[in-house]
Amino acid sequence: MSSPSSLLTYQRGIGLETSILFAHEGASVLLADISGPALERALKKLNELVPDPAGKIETTICDVSKESDVKAMVEKLDAWGGCDVIFNNAGIMHADDADAIDTPEKIWDLTQNINVKGVWFGSKHAMLSMRKHKKTKGSIINTASVVALVGSSAPQLAYTASKGAVLAMTRELAIVHAKEDFRFNALCPAPLNTPLLQDWLGDDAAKRHRREIHFPSGRFGEAIEQAQAVLFLASDESSFVNATDFVVDGGLTRAYVTAQGPPTQPPANLAR
């Protein structure tokens, strides 16, 4: 990467791995999260793994469901020459998210406010920054999910609906702003070995097995595998990649009956 100013939200799982990878590649990175302690842990880990970064590394607290927070977050990049890349990755998967009958309205609204409005606000203010600083290109990467592409009998309706909205919004933004060379792509991860999912699965072996069995490799994905995809989408190597549902799922959405045998070995994450 040629030292772009990058903004990455939610510094756990995919977000943390991506921040470390971007810093390692020489980008200036603004790490954002709603949690101050999470930011402190992320910065400590990044400094351990990239002790002498070529770019600037800073943190900021942001509630992505509040436009004023997102605006202030993006404006912090003015001092770096504006935003070149934003990874809108903040999201929730609430334990009380169920089907159409049992999902509480407050959980529906909370999920949409973070997962959908957060992506809208991030995309909006990243573009405004790019225009303000007369950028001739930019990359906006929004985290969706394979649940927006396939159905599940283990419903999390608010989460699924939110990720479908991210796909549609990303696609439209990509077409509207293509002549500005502002690219929009939606990352679609499969279930991952990250805190967001693993905390939700807990010790429920049956719930875990219902998901693992659909992977041709026999294992969940790792955050670093998503981070490598984000790095590609942020880079000039992906200059003709736009408006995609960029699926990184180990073949899950293309599988019918999976093979028997032990799972494959996952790659090591940077942060652990």
Side-chain angles (χ1 to χ4, degrees):
M1 300 183 77
S2 55
S3 299
S5 297
S6 306
L7 199 161
L8 302 98
T9 63
Y10 193 73
Q11 291 305 310
R12 285 152 276 184
I14 301 172
L16 177 55
E17 290 293 316
T18 305
S19 293
I20 294 168
L21 188 59
F22 274 37
H24 186 268
E25 292 292 322
S28 291
V29 182
L30 179 61
L31 292 73
D33 199 289
I34 195 171
S35 166
L39 279 174
E40 291 175 8
R41 290 191 297 271
L43 184 60
K44 180 180 179 182
K45 178 59 68 173
L46 191 154
N47 287 334
E48 287 175 2
L49 296 173
V50 191
D52 189 23
K56 303 177 184 69
I57 309 295
E58 294 183 11
T59 64
T60 187
I61 293 175
C62 179
D63 178 349
V64 299
S65 70
K66 298 178 179 177
E67 184 171 11
S68 58
D69 274 25
V70 176
K71 181 176 184 289
M73 172 182 71
V74 176
E75 286 178 347
K76 287 182 179 292
L77 297 180
D78 284 347
W80 300 359
C83 181
D84 296 296
V85 175
I86 188 168
F87 181 29
N88 290 309
N89 178 59
I92 64 165
M93 185 167 58
H94 201 280
D96 293 334
D97 190 356
D99 59 15
I101 296 169
D102 294 326
T103 300
E105 185 177 0
K106 66 179 182 180
I107 300 304
W108 177 277
D109 290 343
L110 177 66
T111 303
Q112 308 312 314
N113 285 343
I114 295 170
N115 294 10
V116 183
K117 286 176 70 176
V119 170
W120 169 34
F121 294 151
S123 298
K124 171 183 177 179
H125 289 284
M127 286 189 294
L128 289 173
S129 176
M130 291 170 184
R131 287 174 173 175
K132 177 181 178 180
H133 292 275
K134 298 182 174 16
K135 301 290 184 179
T136 57
K137 60 184 176 180
S139 179
I140 293 90
I141 303 134
N142 299 325
T143 299
S145 171
V146 295
V147 302
L149 302 172
V150 296
S152 172
S153 63
Q156 295 168 280
L157 193 64
Y159 180 81
T160 297
S162 74
K163 294 306 182 178
V166 169
L167 286 188
M169 175 167 40
T170 302
R171 189 180 308 121
E172 181 146 317
L173 287 168
I175 304 310
V176 169
H177 299 284
K179 290 292 179 70
E180 294 179 89
D181 209 4
F182 297 163
R183 295 183 296 111
F184 291 79
N185 290 286
L187 180 72
C188 295
L192 301 177
N193 183 27
T194 59
L196 181 66
L197 177 64
Q198 299 306 320
D199 290 350
W200 182 78
L201 291 174
D203 296 326
D204 191 330
K207 188 160 61 170
R208 182 178 299 277
H209 178 68
R210 286 186 72 186
R211 288 153 179 81
E212 283 181 327
I213 197 170
H214 294 288
F215 285 100
S217 61
R219 67 171 178 87
F220 289 111
E222 296 292 334
I224 185 61
E225 294 171 310
Q226 305 298 321
Q228 293 285 2
V230 177
L231 179 66
F232 170 69
L233 292 173
S235 71
D236 289 342
E237 281 74 11
S238 64
S239 59
F240 208 54
V241 179
N242 192 29
T244 65
D245 305 341
F246 202 87
V247 180
V248 185
D249 71 344
L252 181 146
T253 55
R254 297 296 185 180
Y256 173 37
V257 179
T258 56
Q260 294 181 320
T264 61
Q265 283 296 114
N269 287 296
L270 299 171
R272 50 191 165 108

